[in-house]
Amino acid sequence: MAVQEPPVIDFSPFYGPESPAKDKLVQEIREACETFGFFQIINHGISDDLRDAIIQQSKEFFGLPIETKERYNLDVNGNNRGYERLRSQNFEKRDKGDLEEGFYLGPHLPLDDPYVVQGRFEQTRNTYPVEVKDPGEFRGVMDGYSHALTGLAIGVLQMLARTLGLDEATFDDCRDHPVVILRLLHYPPQEPDASHLERGIGAHTDFGGVTILLQDETGGLQVWNNLSNDWADVTPIPGAFVVNLGNMMTRWTNDRYLSTLHRVINKSGKERYSVPFFFSPNPNKVIECLPTCLDPVQGAKYPPVTVHEWMVGRYADTYGRTNDQSFEEMRKEGAEK
Ligand code: OGA
Ligand code: NI
C-alpha cells in the first residue's frame, strides 16, 4: 500500500474574511504539522509567471560552464552567498557526496546596515552572476521572488500562530531583518543503480522556522512518515508549494509540531530543479516555548536560544561534524531503505 503523503491544502481562505473556510484551513494546517511537519499549499497567491521565471533563471545559471560557476563559489566570498558545487554536501556520509549543485541568495543589504556591521547570521550581500543571458533579469527575478516569498512566509506564520491558539500577529516581528535563505538547486539524474552510493540530498531536517519549497515536475522528494515508518513521496502538484517546518518550530512548540526528515533521490532520468526558501526570524529574536505549548508539569523542554546562536550552531554541527542526531535515530530504527 502506498504510504500516506502530506496533505494538499487550499490556502486561498487566508486572503479572505473570517469564515468557516478559514477555520478549516487552520485546522488542516494544525493536523499536517502534528502528523508530518509537511504539507503542500495551492492558491497561495504567488503567480505561475514568477515561479516559472525563477526556474528558468536557475537553469540558465546552472547551464553555464563550470569555470564560470566556480567564480561565484561560496568560498570566494566567504559569506555563504553564491555557488555550491556538486557533491559538496554529504548528509548521510555515503561513498559519494550528494548529487546536487546550488546557488545561495538572500536579502541584499547595504554595507552600513547595523546587522551587516555586527555580522548577524545571514545579514549580508548577494553576488549576482553577470554571465547569464540577462543579468538584470536574473537579479530582478531573484529579488522579486525573495520579496514575494517573504510575504507568503509571514502569511503562513500567521496561520501557524492561529493553529497554536495564538494571535495572528505573534510572529509579525519576523518582518524586521528576517533570516532569509533562497537556494537554487539542480539535481542531475542519478544512475539507476546508485541509490546505495549517493543521494540527491541526503536525509536531513531543516534548521530554521519554515521552508517553502518550489519543486519542478520531476519528483524525487520524500518525507519520513512517523506513523507508517516509511518514506512518503511528496508528489509534485502543478502550482503548489511544499511547506515544511524547521527545527526552530519544534523548540517554539515544545515538540508538538514535527520537523521531519526528508531527502531527494532523483531516479527520473531527468534533470531536476527546485528552489527552497528558508525563513526564520530576526537573528536577535529569542526562540523559546510559546505560551500555549508549555507542558503543565515539565514546562519548556528546551532553553531559550537566539536565532543567531541556533543557526550558527546547526551549521557548525552539520558541516563541521557528522552527528545529525535525528539521522542517527532513523538509522537505529532500521529505516534506511
Ligand atoms: C533542502 C531540501 C529539497 C528539494 O534544500 O533543505 O530539502 O526538493 N531540498 O530540493
Ligand atoms: Ni530540506
Side-chain angles (χ1 to χ4, degrees), residues 204 206 262 278:
H204 67 282
D206 293 352
H262 52 283
F278 304 99

Side-chain angles (χ1 to χ4, degrees), residues 105-141:
L105 297 120
H108 190 61
L109 299 175
L111 281 174
D112 60 356
D113 183 293
Y115 282 70
V116 179
V117 175
Q118 291 165 25
R120 305 312 280 163
F121 187 74
E122 280 294 328
Q123 308 294 312
T124 182
R125 292 172 73 71
N126 284 328
T127 169
Y128 299 98
V130 294
E131 295 84 351
V132 286
K133 206 176 346 165
D134 186 340
E137 192 178 352
F138 181 94
R139 183 172 174 159
V141 168

Side-chain angles (χ1 to χ4, degrees), residues 183 185 187 201 204 206 213 215 221 262 264 272 274 276 278:
R183 193 179 185 207
L185 287 174
Y187 299 82
I201 189 168
H204 67 282
D206 293 352
L213 172 88
Q215 59 169 340
L221 174 63
H262 52 283
V264 173
R272 176 178 188 272
S274 68
F278 304 99

